[in-house]
Amino acid sequence: MAVVAELWNIIPAAVTLCYAFLSLRADESSVMDYIINAVKYFMLTQQEFRWQLKEGE
């Protein structure tokens, strides 16, 4: 039961630290904006790749 009592002291601090990290701003964008854009790019949008042969190959 003592672990649960100690955990309730850590949870608000962890939430506060996560919020502070995600809301850091540099050059008009936050860490959260960067994470959202990375998820969109790597997971949610289809990527298109085109290969072309060079002349003479």
Side-chain angles (χ1 to χ4, degrees):
M1 201 54 140
V3 173
V4 175
E6 291 296 323
L7 186 64
W8 287 115
N9 292 334
I10 295 172
I11 290 175
V15 170
T16 303
L17 288 173
C18 287
Y19 178 76
F21 176 73
L22 293 176
S23 64
L24 285 175
R25 296 191 77 74
D27 297 331
E28 298 297 323
S29 64
S30 67
V31 174
M32 189 62 162
D33 294 337
Y34 178 78
I35 292 171
I36 289 171
N37 288 335
V39 167
K40 284 180 186 176
Y41 181 79
F42 289 112
M43 296 182 186
L44 301 178
T45 59
Q46 182 176 355
Q47 303 298 314
E48 182 177 327
F49 300 97
R50 295 182 184 197
W51 287 271
Q52 294 180 348
L53 293 175
K54 293 181 182 178
E55 294 291 325
E57 287 187 17

